[in-house]
Amino acid sequence: MKVHNSSRFWLFVALLPLLAVLQACPPKEDPPVKDEEAEKIAADPDYKAKDFLRKEYMDVYYYWRDQVKSHNANLKPYNYDIYDFFEAMLYDRDHWSWMCDKEYYVSSETGVYNGTWGVSLGQAVRLGDYSVYIRYMYPGSPFEQFGVTRGAKITHINGVNVMDDEEGFTQAKLSYFNENYNVSPQTFTFRLADGRDTTFTATKAASLATRPGLITRVFQPGDFPGLTEPVGYFHYLSFLANFLEDIDSAMKTFHDAGVKKAIIDLRYNGGGDSRASQRLIDYLAPKSAEGQPYVIRHHNDYLQSQSSSYSDENNTFYVISSIPPEDKDQKAVWDKVYPNRLDLDAIYFITGQGSASASEMVMNGLRPYMGDKLQMVGDTTYGKPNGMYVFIYPGTDSDYERFYADDFSKLKWVFLPICFYNMNSKLEAIPDHGFIPNNARTDDLFHDFGVEEDLIKACLTRIATGSYPPVKNVKTKAVSRSGARMQLEEDAPGYGRYVVRRPE
């Protein structure tokens, strides 16, 4: 059926009043949309630091950059605190990278600790003894004046029994220990290494300046049966670039004494700065290693494709003592190191589960040049085959200039992500499971460092007789006893450092 034009006109006229009404009423405005993400960003005090960390460091230098970059791009920094954000960006194989705040970094680098007893504690679990012993003690520890040394055992805190006895070292004892050990002042009872008990009240040191060179000693023929020559002993706790003179002093002592065999105790050395490991390598490497590489740092594919500075060739480092004096950049180091370099017949490294990173790198770097003349005695090492650059926030060039001048006034965060793997001149990496020593022995917490301490005695016995002594029979009744295990320094996340300054 046809529709007449008049019908269409009528429909149009009928709509006019409705259009007029609609035009007379202005449309409602939608309420402003809240930018929730912008609000979250603004409310996050560390957002800029997290964003800087991801873009400037992790997206460039991180060893597993290619495996995590896409994943990390989707992370929302404001959903994490800064520590959790750092952890969220790590590759699942990475259990080495870590970060810290200004206070922790400054204490670890300067060796100055506030509110401390100045000791390290341990348990002889492998020998079936769960009591808490002093592993080592810094000079100036508040315990020192009461005759406490390595080998002393804490038996009571505030009169409460906290030792492994017939009752055992229970979880309740460990809990009481953890709750009260750090209370200051505190009353302790120690069973000293000589068997005497002593009770005293001590107060933590408000500030204690420590050094990484814990002990330097030369054992003379009269100190140990069968010994016919001087043997140097250097107990080194951490590779700190601010204390290179500790290495210089120890090696000068060895040089002046005519030492040809040295015991380097790294059982509690969790690594540190590459400048300190370089210094130790320079002294210990044999003449045959002069001018030869001791470590090759292998970076991620992205860095190597962007710059030849990150090629293996340009990241091969050599025994520095062979560099000629006319090389002005190295002359000061060369002049200082060369006069007291050692020409050793043998090196004995004392190792433990705390021997990590730079400690392992030094041993790995020397192995190709020393063969059986390099011996490891003790426990399997930590197993850290890689290293980090030290990255900071704020991280402008001027911030780094202050940082390298030991001005930490504007420092807030320090990031230490894995950036390279270490190999020696034979392209051998440090095993992930650590080095198994030539002579496996358990750390002897029952004796102070000296000729009676089992690991030192084992080294001296081999030097004197050509053979290691039998390992202690640990299959005693005590071994079957279980107990509560305390946390050690090497149990902490991020333990072990081989750190290098940020690349230019």
Side-chain angles (χ1 to χ4, degrees):
M1 182 180 68
K2 290 183 179 180
V3 178
H4 294 287
N5 289 337
S6 59
S7 298
R8 291 177 185 169
F9 176 75
W10 177 86
L11 180 63
F12 176 73
V13 172
L15 288 174
L16 283 177
L18 177 61
L19 290 173
V21 171
L22 290 174
Q23 290 173 1
C25 300
K28 287 185 178 180
E29 293 185 5
D30 292 330
V33 177
K34 289 186 178 180
D35 189 339
E36 294 183 0
E37 184 166 51
E39 290 181 356
K40 290 178 180 179
I41 290 173
D44 183 353
D46 291 315
Y47 186 86
K48 290 183 178 179
K50 298 172 192 173
D51 192 50
F52 192 88
L53 165 65
R54 178 168 54 186
K55 292 178 181 177
E56 300 296 328
Y57 298 150
M58 300 297 286
D59 285 358
V60 179
Y61 298 100
Y62 188 49
Y63 188 78
W64 294 281
R65 168 198 181 270
D66 293 343
Q67 287 86 348
V68 301
K69 191 171 187 296
S70 296
H71 167 267
N72 290 349
N74 293 320
L75 295 177
K76 302 296 185 183
Y78 48 73
N79 287 333
Y80 307 83
D81 74 17
I82 192 164
Y83 289 97
D84 290 339
F85 184 64
F86 183 80
E87 289 290 327
M89 288 194 291
L90 302 182
Y91 187 45
D92 56 12
R93 281 182 52 197
D94 180 7
H95 55 273
W96 301 285
S97 296
W98 60 292
M99 63 165 289
C100 61
D101 60 15
K102 166 185 173 178
E103 287 71 25
Y104 183 92
Y105 183 83
V106 172
S107 290
S108 65
E109 288 299 300
T110 62
V112 176
Y113 296 92
N114 299 320
T116 180
W117 295 121
V119 299
S120 174
L121 305 176
Q123 295 169 291
V125 173
R126 300 270 297 274
L127 298 177
D129 189 339
Y130 285 80
S131 287
V132 179
Y133 288 84
I134 300 293
R135 297 203 294 182
Y136 62 85
M137 183 167 65
Y138 286 112
S141 162
F143 294 160
E144 188 175 41
Q145 61 182 307
F146 301 104
V148 174
T149 65
R150 169 184 166 86
K153 172 171 64 175
I154 302 177
T155 64
H156 295 78
I157 296 179
N158 201 27
V160 177
N161 181 358
V162 292
M163 64 178 166
D164 186 7
D165 51 18
E166 292 76 12
E167 179 189 354
F169 189 69
T170 62
Q171 185 61 49
K173 287 183 178 180
L174 177 60
S175 297
Y176 185 86
F177 183 95
N178 289 336
E179 291 167 6
N180 293 276
Y181 171 73
N182 283 306
V183 174
S184 176
Q186 184 59 275
T187 300
F188 294 97
T189 300
F190 275 88
R191 181 156 297 159
L192 303 180
D194 62 9
R196 292 180 297 120
D197 286 349
T198 181
T199 300
F200 56 85
T201 300
T203 301
K204 283 186 175 181
S207 179
L208 184 63
T210 65
R211 301 190 70 95
L214 187 66
I215 302 170
T216 300
R217 180 176 175 183
V218 176
F219 295 111
Q220 297 292 347
D223 295 330
F224 191 80
L227 198 64
T228 60
E229 60 182 314
V231 176
Y233 174 75
F234 182 43
H235 192 123
Y236 191 49
L237 286 173
S238 184
F239 290 86
L240 297 182
N242 292 332
F243 297 98
L244 296 179
E245 61 270 22
D246 282 25
I247 299 174
D248 295 334
S249 177
M251 298 303 119
K252 185 178 188 306
T253 298
F254 292 176
H255 179 271
D256 292 349
V259 163
K260 291 294 182 180
K261 295 179 176 63
I263 301 170
I264 310 299
D265 197 334
L266 303 177
R267 73 183 85 182
Y268 307 131
N269 190 315
D273 196 293
S274 63
R275 289 168 289 174
S277 60
Q278 171 81 65
R279 183 63 62 88
L280 189 60
I281 283 273
D282 290 340
Y283 280 112
L284 299 180
K287 287 185 176 180
S288 62
E290 291 184 5
Q292 300 301 312
Y294 70 87
V295 66
I296 302 167
R297 300 176 193 152
H298 182 76
H299 294 79
N300 66 39
D301 291 341
Y302 172 76
L303 275 181
Q304 295 195 75
S305 68
Q306 294 296 307
S307 172
S308 63
S309 298
Y310 296 96
S311 68
D312 289 355
E313 180 181 356
N314 288 327
N315 280 273
T316 299
F317 297 86
Y318 302 85
V319 177
I320 206 169
S321 58
S322 66
I323 293 179
E326 57 267 21
D327 185 335
K328 294 179 181 179
D329 291 339
Q330 299 296 344
K331 187 176 187 306
V333 174
W334 190 90
D335 287 343
K336 190 169 187 178
V337 170
Y338 189 80
N340 295 312
R341 276 200 65 232
L342 305 177
D343 186 17
L344 297 172
D345 297 333
I347 304 176
Y348 290 80
F349 285 105
I350 292 182
T351 62
Q353 295 176 342
S355 306
S357 202
S359 291
E360 295 170 302
M361 191 281 298
V362 166
M363 293 183 276
N364 196 44
L366 291 174
R367 285 169 62 225
Y369 307 112
M370 301 203 68
D372 290 341
K373 293 180 179 180
L374 187 155
Q375 294 282 303
M376 300 181 194
V377 177
D379 212 339
T380 302
T381 64
Y382 184 85
K384 185 171 179 298
N386 38 42
M388 307 100 153
Y389 289 125
V390 182
F391 295 126
I392 64 172
Y393 183 83
T396 65
D397 288 343
S398 59
D399 291 317
Y400 275 96
E401 288 175 7
R402 280 190 296 273
F403 181 71
Y404 292 147
D406 294 332
D407 177 358
F408 305 119
S409 57
K410 294 192 176 182
L411 177 65
K412 188 169 184 182
W413 302 109
V414 178
F415 306 108
L416 300 116
I418 296 300
C419 296
F420 52 85
Y421 264 66
N422 293 315
M423 298 176 289
N424 64 19
S425 61
K426 290 186 176 181
L427 303 183
E428 297 166 328
I430 298 161
D432 282 357
H433 54 72
F435 285 116
I436 298 173
N438 302 90
N439 186 246
R441 315 181 79 86
T442 299
D443 192 10
D444 176 10
L445 292 177
F446 311 126
H447 295 91
D448 200 358
F449 300 113
V451 297
E452 294 302 318
E453 195 277 327
D454 188 60
L455 276 63
I456 297 174
K457 181 190 286 188
C459 297
L460 291 172
T461 300
R462 189 175 190 272
I463 292 170
T465 69
S467 301
Y468 290 109
V471 176
K472 288 180 178 179
N473 180 12
V474 299
K475 294 181 180 179
T476 63
K477 220 174 187 183
V479 175
S480 63
R481 180 192 293 136
S482 61
R485 187 180 183 276
M486 65 185 300
Q487 291 290 109
L488 303 176
E489 288 98 325
E490 51 265 38
D491 296 326
Y495 180 81
R497 292 192 298 164
Y498 177 71
V499 298
V500 182
R501 286 191 174 195
R502 180 196 66 154
E504 296 299 330

